[in-house]
Amino acid sequence: MTTWHKYIPDDQAMRALGARLAALCPARILIYLDGDLGAGKSTLARGFINGRGYSGHVKSPTYTLVESYQTVSGSIYHLDLYRLSDAEELEFIGIREFFADGVACLVEWPDKGQGILPQPDLRVHIDHVGQGREITIEAINQRSEDIINKL
């Protein structure tokens, strides 16, 4: 599958990349966000959510596990599984409804939901490089190949 790489120098550029992804992605999309603590996963998610037209405060779901947002282009669920102790806990929060038609879902720490989460459309990996970040976006299916080709 196709991958896309770019150096992102700061938070503003990270949010701009998130907004660009939001503009290119269909209403229904599942994106995994990988990277160490503080890598910028939530910053990218904020850009994506704001890029879909949400103008309110975008919180990190570190303690709540999931935050939902309603936009003109549909619902967005932002999950942070860092504090998840067992993937089975996802069943108790109704995880299956998060992957309905017309729903965008951004998942931080997706490996913690292994065995429960479906295959993503895109996988974003963020690495610290100096003061900035190196982003690698991997297309998982044909639909996401088209997104990467437009980036």
Side-chain angles (χ1 to χ4, degrees):
M1 284 285 151
T2 303
T3 58
W4 179 89
H5 304 279
K6 184 166 183 159
Y7 177 78
I8 303 294
D10 54 32
D11 284 355
Q12 182 178 353
M14 186 71 82
R15 286 189 303 274
L17 175 60
R20 177 80 177 130
L21 271 175
L24 293 173
C25 288
R28 187 203 165 283
I29 189 85
L30 174 56
I31 302 173
Y32 284 2
L33 303 170
D34 293 313
D36 293 335
L37 283 172
K41 298 178 296 294
S42 290
T43 302
L44 182 78
R46 279 186 194 95
F48 185 96
I49 294 163
N50 291 147
R52 285 277 172 102
Y54 184 80
S55 58
H57 178 65
V58 177
K59 300 182 284 187
S60 174
T62 300
Y63 294 100
T64 58
L65 193 66
V66 63
E67 293 288 340
S68 64
Y69 303 91
Q70 298 303 314
T71 71
V72 293
S73 62
S75 298
I76 301 172
Y77 291 104
H78 179 198
L79 289 87
D80 184 333
L81 306 184
Y82 181 72
R83 298 193 183 283
L84 193 71
S85 58
D86 185 337
E88 292 293 322
E89 292 175 43
L90 293 172
E91 296 291 352
F92 297 115
I93 64 167
I95 191 74
R96 307 244 182 252
E97 74 183 52
F98 297 175
F99 309 115
D101 286 342
V103 174
C105 194
L106 309 169
V107 182
E108 297 184 36
W109 302 97
D111 293 344
K112 297 243 183 188
Q114 192 172 9
I116 301 293
L117 293 175
Q119 179 92 348
D121 297 297
L122 290 171
R123 186 170 205 121
V124 178
H125 188 79
I126 306 170
D127 286 310
H128 292 273
V129 176
Q131 295 298 312
R133 307 292 187 264
E134 183 70 32
I135 306 292
T136 302
I137 303 176
E138 178 185 6
I140 305 300
N141 53 41
Q142 185 57 51
R143 187 168 69 139
S144 59
E145 289 260 342
D146 296 339
I147 294 165
I148 285 186
N149 289 333
K150 292 176 185 174
L151 270 176

